[in-house]
């Protein structure tokens, strides 16, 4: 057992489960920790890693839950502890140890688009919040800025970090009209009365503990899980004919969508991979209909990735009201004229949000197509002569074509990176169109469901800037240039309890704040506690 040294912190780093990601990101982790150690030294502190470099694996990340459990056995429970993240990480690798830790915990993320430490760290803090673990959270590009160093000093001296939460206020339904409240309450009552079935194709993707909603909490909303296996989805795919798959592909091609096909299945997107994705799309709708699902989430990243191409194209199609028609084996069209809201990576918090948003918006006469995105990155940029912090909202799939400039005609499908997706498959990629949005995130705190909600806008950046941001992150994925109303970068990072953010457009003359208020009132009427964030 290591004992506490005066002015020494213990450092751990949770990593990916996939060896390729850990190998690729290890050099950045080393650079990050070197800069972090420099910042600690400047404040008169030192650090000691709780686990070393593994010669056989070629990295020093905690890459399995059992590895994390064993490492934490050797850490003094009262030691000040830093979790340093420069990569997407699986939170459950370190969750068992962090739950039992008694000393101050600080999660630190690098601010970098290529190495998504901030995405991994946001998932970890959301998971720690759900697990009721006390922690502090910081982020920095190079660990030399005043914000980071002043907050680091505060944590070293007090064991906690204070952040600015002035943008957060409890939502009060009295601030919206009686008519709008009536609509919200009626819709919430309808959900609780009718009951909603959420199809979950294997639970708990990529260590996202925060994305699993306990049954007792979700049942209170009138939503009930239908737990389905991804092996069932695979089996159903095997019953879909080539002819049926070609009908789906021909529909997309007729809409003007482009596919970056090649002939090398190992490194390129092939037409056969796309056709297999079309079979998954048909299979998903048929299974959803068989089990009466109102919304579904496919895990894919675990298990299914070893069998079939990526689910991302499928997810984007499902989230679009205008999509290729699918019929059951008897010829009946399934979910005719509607999207089947899909929550990427079986993020059940996003599943609740996506279902409610889609159907509420339709009642308001708005397009309800919505999606989650990663809070992937962001930089300042001049927009209409004014400097704005423009987020890179990015997700592997699930974004509907109706969000893109040009719709399907402005969309293309690129192969998912071979090091993560050996079976290939493409995304549904595009650049999100300018417009007003409502953003939100449902999360779990103190064993209660909460939602942070606010408004914002999508801006259009020059093509070269979009390409630069794509190349900094993942160019295969759909992108949204988001600006949040009245919420700074650091406020968002400090308060947000997930790697995902839900977004939906408010088109035409409909007031975006009114729409946000009605959504907030609906969620509140369902029994979710709501914070209104920003201006």
């Amino acid at each position: 057992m290591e004992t506490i040294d005066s002015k020494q912190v213990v450092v751990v780093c949770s990593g990916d489960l996939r060896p390729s990601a850990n190998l690729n990101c290890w050099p950045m982790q080393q650079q990050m920790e070197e800069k972090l150690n420099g910042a600690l030294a400047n404040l008169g502190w030192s650090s000691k890693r709780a686990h070393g470099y593994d010669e056989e694996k070629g990295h020093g990340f905690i890459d399995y839950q059992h590895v994390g459990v064993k490492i934490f056995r050797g850490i003094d429970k009262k030691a000040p502890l830093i979790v340093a993240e420069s990569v997407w990480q699986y939170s459950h690798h370190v969750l068992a140890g962090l739950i039992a830790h008694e000393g101050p915990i600080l999660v630190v993320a690098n601010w970098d688009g290529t190495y998504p430490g901030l995405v991994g760290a946001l998932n970890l803090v959301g998971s720690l919040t759900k697990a009721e673990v006390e922690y502090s959270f910081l982020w920095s590009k190079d660990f030399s800025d005043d914000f980071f160093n002043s907050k680091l000093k505060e944590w070293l001296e007090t064991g906690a970090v204070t952040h600015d939460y002035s943008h957060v206020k409890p939502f009060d339904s009295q601030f919206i009209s009686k008519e709008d409240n009536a609509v919200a309450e009626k819709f919430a009552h309808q959900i609780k009365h009718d009951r909603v079935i959420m199809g979950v194709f294997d639970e708990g993707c990529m260590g996202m503990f925060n994305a699993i909603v306990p049954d007792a909490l979700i049942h209170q909303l009138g939503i009930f899980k239908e737990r389905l296996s991804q092996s069932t989805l695979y089996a159903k795919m095997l019953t879909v004919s080539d002819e049926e798959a070609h009908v789906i592909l021909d529909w997309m091609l007729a809409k003007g969508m482009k596919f970056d096909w090649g002939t090398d299945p190992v490194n390129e997107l092939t037409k056969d991979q796309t056709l297999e994705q079309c079979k998954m799309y048909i299979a998903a709708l048929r299974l959803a209909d068989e089990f009466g699902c109102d919304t579904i989430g496919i895990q894919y990243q675990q298990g299914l990735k070893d069998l079939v191409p990526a689910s991302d194209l499928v997810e984007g199609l499902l989230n679009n009201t205008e999509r290729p028609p699918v019929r059951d084996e008897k010829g009946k069209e399934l979910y005719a004229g509607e999207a089947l809201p899909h929550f990427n990576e079986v993020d059940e918090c996003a599943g609740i949000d996506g279902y409610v948003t889609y159907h509420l918006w339709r009642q308001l006469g708005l397009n309800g197509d919505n999606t989650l995105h990663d809070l992937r990155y962001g930089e300042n940029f001049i927009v209409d002569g004014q400097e704005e912090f423009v987020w890179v909202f990015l997700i592997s799939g699930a974004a509907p074509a109706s969000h893109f400039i040009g719709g399907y005609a402005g969309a293309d499908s690129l192969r998912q990176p071979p090091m993560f997706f050996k079976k290939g498959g493409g995304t549904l990629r595009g650049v999100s169109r300018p417009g007003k949005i409502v953003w939100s995130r449902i999360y779990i705190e103190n064993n209660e469901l909460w939602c942070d909600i606010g408004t914002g806008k999508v801006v259009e950046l020059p093509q070269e800037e979009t390409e630069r941001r794509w190349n900094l992150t993942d160019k295969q994925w759909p992108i949204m240039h988001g600006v949040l109303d009245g919420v700074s970068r650091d406020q968002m990072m400090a308060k947000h309890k997930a790697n995902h953010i839900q977004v939906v457009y408010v088109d035409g003359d409909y007031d975006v704040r009114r729409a946000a208020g009605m959504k907030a009132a609906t969620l509140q009427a369902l029994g979710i506690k709501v914070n209104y964030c920003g201006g």
Side-chain angles (χ1 to χ4, degrees):
M1 175 72 67
E2 295 182 6
T3 57
I4 302 172
D5 291 335
S6 178
K7 293 200 169 184
Q8 184 179 73
V9 298
V10 176
V11 175
V12 297
C13 60
S14 178
D16 209 299
L17 181 67
R18 298 162 292 192
S20 55
N22 287 328
L23 285 169
N24 189 52
C25 296
W26 178 241
M28 170 54 74
Q29 180 71 24
Q30 290 176 296
Q31 292 176 33
M32 176 210 180
E33 290 187 29
E34 184 178 339
K35 292 175 181 176
L36 176 59
N37 289 338
L40 288 166
N42 288 338
L43 294 170
W45 284 67
S46 64
S47 68
K48 183 172 184 177
R49 251 178 156 265
H51 52 104
Y53 175 84
D54 189 308
E55 293 283 353
E56 185 177 344
K57 294 178 178 178
H59 64 78
F61 290 108
I62 298 174
D63 54 357
Y64 286 91
Q65 180 172 225
H66 74 91
V67 172
V69 166
K70 291 167 187 171
I71 287 168
F72 269 89
R73 288 174 187 162
I75 298 174
D76 191 307
K77 283 183 165 50
K78 297 188 183 300
L81 180 72
I82 292 180
V83 188
E85 293 302 333
S86 66
V87 62
W88 169 257
Q89 59 81 45
Y90 285 45
S91 293
H92 76 295
H93 289 171
V94 292
L95 197 58
L98 294 173
I99 285 173
H101 197 70
E102 299 170 8
I105 297 168
L106 176 65
V107 179
V108 175
N110 66 324
W111 193 271
D112 189 284
T114 305
Y115 301 92
L118 69 94
V119 186
L122 281 166
N123 179 261
L124 180 57
V125 300
S127 295
L128 291 173
T129 299
K130 178 188 173 187
E132 300 183 33
V133 175
E134 291 189 12
Y135 66 88
S136 296
F137 184 28
L138 286 176
W139 48 91
S140 181
K141 184 175 182 179
D142 59 12
F143 306 99
S144 65
D145 57 284
D146 291 341
F147 170 82
F148 175 79
N149 282 286
S150 64
K151 298 295 184 184
L152 178 62
K153 183 174 185 290
E154 180 185 5
W155 181 76
L156 292 169
E157 292 176 350
T158 69
V161 172
T162 55
H163 285 295
D164 176 13
Y165 297 129
S166 60
H167 65 295
V168 182
K169 294 178 176 59
F171 174 73
D172 188 341
S173 60
Q174 292 183 355
F175 290 113
I176 67 173
S177 70
K178 289 183 179 179
E179 293 77 13
D180 287 355
N181 253 321
V183 171
E185 289 179 3
K186 182 180 179 181
F187 180 54
H189 176 75
Q190 178 187 334
I191 290 174
K192 288 192 171 187
H193 176 269
D194 292 349
R195 306 300 197 189
V196 171
I197 295 178
M198 172 185 283
V200 179
F201 284 91
D202 290 338
E203 206 163 33
C205 184
M206 295 197 296
M208 287 188 279
F209 174 70
N210 68 317
I212 303 170
V213 182
D215 287 42
L217 290 184
I218 203 168
H219 290 171
Q220 294 172 16
L221 310 179
I223 299 176
F224 295 79
K225 298 180 195 179
E226 184 71 51
R227 287 181 168 88
L228 301 166
S229 171
Q230 293 191 119
S231 61
T232 307
L233 179 60
Y234 177 61
K236 181 64 76 171
M237 288 174 64
L238 299 179
T239 69
V240 179
S241 70
D242 293 342
E243 291 76 17
E244 288 174 311
H246 274 285
V247 169
I248 303 301
L249 177 56
D250 290 344
W251 187 97
M252 289 186 280
L253 291 171
K255 291 292 182 182
M257 186 172 166
K258 302 171 184 63
F259 294 85
D260 186 31
W261 286 323
T263 57
D264 174 15
V266 175
N267 297 299
E268 296 177 306
L269 178 67
T270 65
K271 189 174 182 179
D272 285 344
Q273 290 170 12
T274 302
L275 286 168
E276 199 165 1
Q277 290 180 296
C278 293
K279 291 183 178 182
M280 186 189 293
Y281 169 68
I282 295 169
L285 282 159
R286 286 178 176 171
L287 281 173
D289 176 66
E290 178 183 344
F291 287 91
C293 298
D294 302 290
T295 176
I296 64 169
I298 302 171
Q299 185 190 114
Y300 181 76
Q301 298 276 18
Q302 304 302 124
L304 205 60
K305 67 176 172 54
D306 300 315
L307 290 172
V308 292
S311 61
D312 301 293
L313 173 62
V314 176
E315 298 171 20
L317 292 176
L318 291 172
N319 275 333
N320 212 79
T321 298
E322 182 190 16
R323 55 176 180 78
V326 170
R327 301 181 183 278
D328 66 12
E329 289 85 348
K330 296 180 180 179
K332 181 189 77 172
E333 186 177 350
L334 304 177
Y335 302 89
E338 291 187 356
L340 174 61
H342 182 283
F343 42 106
N344 180 270
E345 296 165 344
V346 288
D347 184 341
E348 293 165 6
C349 296
I352 296 167
D353 199 328
Y355 173 84
V356 171
T357 302
Y358 181 73
H359 290 284
L360 176 62
W361 255 231
R362 284 166 70 87
Q363 287 200 15
L364 301 181
L366 297 168
N367 185 333
D369 298 354
N370 68 96
T371 183
L372 58 78
H373 276 285
D374 277 341
L375 281 84
R376 179 59 185 270
Y377 184 59
E379 294 180 14
N380 288 347
F381 198 82
I382 303 298
V383 179
D384 297 329
Q386 182 175 342
E387 187 172 21
E388 302 269 19
F389 186 81
V390 182
W391 286 93
V392 175
F393 294 150
L394 200 77
I395 195 61
S396 57
S402 60
H403 281 199
F404 303 153
I405 297 171
Y408 282 107
D412 57 9
S413 186
L414 304 185
R415 192 198 196 281
Q416 286 280 34
M419 74 171 180
F420 296 136
F421 301 86
K422 66 180 181 181
K423 293 290 186 178
T427 53
L428 181 57
R429 187 185 83 140
V431 181
S432 293
R433 55 188 170 83
K436 302 168 292 183
I437 57 170
V438 172
W439 67 267
S440 54
R441 175 63 196 182
I442 291 173
Y443 58 97
I444 300 164
E445 187 168 11
N446 297 324
N447 200 34
E448 296 176 312
L449 282 168
W450 287 77
C451 181
D452 290 352
I453 189 168
T455 62
K457 61 184 177 182
V458 181
V459 298
E460 187 172 0
L461 301 184
Q463 182 62 31
E464 58 269 22
E465 177 64 11
T466 296
E467 292 293 340
R468 186 184 73 84
R469 289 175 176 234
W470 252 334
N471 288 327
L472 271 175
T473 52
D474 285 283
K475 66 180 181 181
Q476 302 88 354
W477 297 2
I479 192 170
M480 174 178 278
H481 303 307
V483 176
L484 305 183
D485 294 333
V487 184
S488 70
R489 182 198 82 164
D490 291 338
Q491 286 175 325
M492 190 66 177
M493 289 294 294
K495 182 62 178 68
H496 207 66
K497 302 301 183 185
N499 49 308
H500 291 150
I501 183 171
Q502 203 79 13
V503 291
V504 63
Y505 280 92
V506 179
D507 291 327
D509 296 329
Y510 206 100
D511 182 72
V512 69
R513 287 179 62 88
R514 181 186 179 197
M518 293 183 76
K519 178 173 173 177
T522 300
L523 295 172
Q524 193 174 74
L526 282 171
I528 298 173
K529 296 187 175 183
V530 182
N531 291 317
Y532 196 90
C533 302

